[in-house]
Amino acid sequence: MHAVLIGGTGTISTSVTHELLQQGWQVTLINRGTDTPELRELVELGARSLVCDVNDEPEMRELLTSHRELQHVDCVAEFVAFTHEQVERDIRLFLGKTSQYIFVSSASAYAKPARSYIISEGTTLANPYWQYSQQKIECERVLMEAYRKLSFPVTIVRPSHTYDRRSLPLGVHGAQGSWQVAQRMLEGKPVLVHGDGSSLWTLTHARDFAVGFVGLMANTHAIGEAVQIMGDETLTWDQIYSCIGAALGVTPQLVHVSSQMLAAAGPQYDFTGSLTGDKAVSVVFDTTKLQRLVPQFATRTRFDQGARECVDYILNHPEYQQADPEFDRWSDELIAQLDIFVDHMSAFNAQHHN
């Protein structure tokens, strides 16, 4: 079996490539050829890497034409398409050249606010808060229309919050990722948590996700279907931050702030989209469809285990310790302003009580 992965070295796709190679697939990665440890490792394990800018359609067409083995492949998996123009390009490139095209969408596309905390593939797609989700919804619409009108063999995959060893999964962080929050924990500084920390969230290790994803590949029952892939471990955000703190060997000081206030105080971080349009909403996913299509899928990595794996890896790889002084200063200022507000209200209440 031959799979072409567009991307192949991201949080999700790296683990998918590992799983494919373990199962004996021939794997071709198409990306811009940026030299990374992940790409080198995958090539050493047997993946083939072809350099091409997938957004350059003539260049991509020439690449597919010049390699005989790419004239028809068992599966194409698209990890880096975010707009309808990009999937329309893929339809033109791969129609008649693959038995299956898997598009990675997002569970953030589900309706916000949710009418039920239990989410299935039948839940309405509608997210007025996040452009990223709106674009994924439009991609799905274009692809399903191509399936109905052109018999384009699409499968849509909707992940929730998937992580791997390179980054700690958090709700509130800056533009450089999660390390600065971990650094604050290590320094004994308070860290921000959206809401009151009690909303429910699902985290899935990419290694577990990959089992579900590969199980859908070359699966005739998945053609024309949308399938959400995530584990069955549900945690509160306070539990998530506490697991990360424990992995770091500290007890984190959590400061709870409403998502609305975070969005107003930090518009540069798009908390309206990432929180109000995603992580602030309690969700529990119904994975019945996934279990039917891929019976071998299971949650094998609890988050407390995954958090320790992430911390161990990041502490031993300084390149993933990206400092973010701007976010650090912003966090300090916001927390200081909250303290001033609390002191002011305490004085106000004391005065009026007397």
Side-chain angles (χ1 to χ4, degrees), residues 99-338:
S99 299
Q100 185 184 32
Y101 171 94
I102 301 183
F103 171 68
V104 179
S105 184
S106 171
S108 69
Y110 290 121
K112 307 292 184 304
R115 297 191 179 277
S116 171
Y117 73 95
I118 299 177
I119 304 298
S120 73
E121 288 84 357
T123 299
T124 301
L125 303 181
N127 190 333
Y129 302 104
W130 205 2
Q131 184 181 18
Y132 165 80
S133 306
Q134 295 163 9
Q135 291 174 332
K136 288 290 190 180
I137 292 170
E138 182 63 11
C139 288
E140 289 198 25
R141 183 195 66 78
V142 169
L143 288 166
M144 291 308 296
E145 182 176 356
Y147 168 70
R148 289 188 292 267
K149 294 183 177 181
L150 304 174
S151 298
F152 189 62
V154 64
T155 297
I156 292 168
V157 166
R158 297 180 188 141
S160 184
H161 199 156
T162 308
Y163 70 99
D164 71 1
R165 63 187 182 178
R166 291 171 284 179
S167 180
L168 292 161
L170 295 168
V172 182
H173 59 77
Q176 301 303 318
S178 61
W179 171 249
Q180 192 63 55
V181 178
Q183 185 66 42
R184 290 180 68 86
M185 291 185 183
L186 290 170
E187 294 173 355
K189 299 174 71 172
V191 297
L192 296 164
V193 180
H194 60 278
D196 64 0
S198 66
S199 59
L200 302 176
W201 196 242
T202 298
L203 295 171
T204 307
H205 196 288
R207 192 167 46 238
D208 292 341
F209 175 92
V211 174
F213 192 95
V214 175
L216 294 175
M217 298 176 73
N219 186 332
T220 186
H221 302 292
I223 304 298
E225 298 290 337
V227 186
Q228 54 190 24
I229 302 178
M230 61 282 297
D232 56 9
E233 182 184 21
T234 302
L235 300 160
T236 68
W237 279 104
D238 275 0
Q239 288 174 323
I240 292 168
Y241 277 72
S242 294
C243 285
I244 293 172
L248 291 165
V250 300
T251 301
Q253 301 178 47
L254 306 182
V255 176
H256 298 102
V257 187
S258 74
S259 298
Q260 183 179 17
M261 182 176 290
L262 286 166
Q268 68 270 37
Y269 299 123
D270 190 22
F271 289 132
T272 297
S274 66
L275 295 181
T276 307
D278 193 25
K279 299 177 182 68
V281 181
S282 282
V283 290
V284 176
F285 293 98
D286 178 356
T287 58
T288 302
K289 188 173 186 178
L290 174 64
Q291 295 289 348
R292 174 171 54 83
L293 291 170
V294 189
Q296 66 270 31
F297 177 81
T299 299
R300 293 184 170 88
T301 306
R302 297 194 317 266
F303 181 61
D304 61 304
Q305 299 168 330
R308 290 195 297 272
E309 180 182 324
C310 289
V311 166
D312 289 344
Y313 188 80
I314 293 170
L315 290 179
N316 285 288
H317 291 78
E319 64 269 27
Y320 294 110
Q321 300 173 27
Q322 295 295 316
D324 194 343
E326 180 182 351
F327 177 76
D328 198 43
R329 289 191 296 269
W330 178 82
S331 297
D332 287 338
E333 178 62 21
L334 179 55
I335 291 168
Q337 292 299 320
L338 289 171

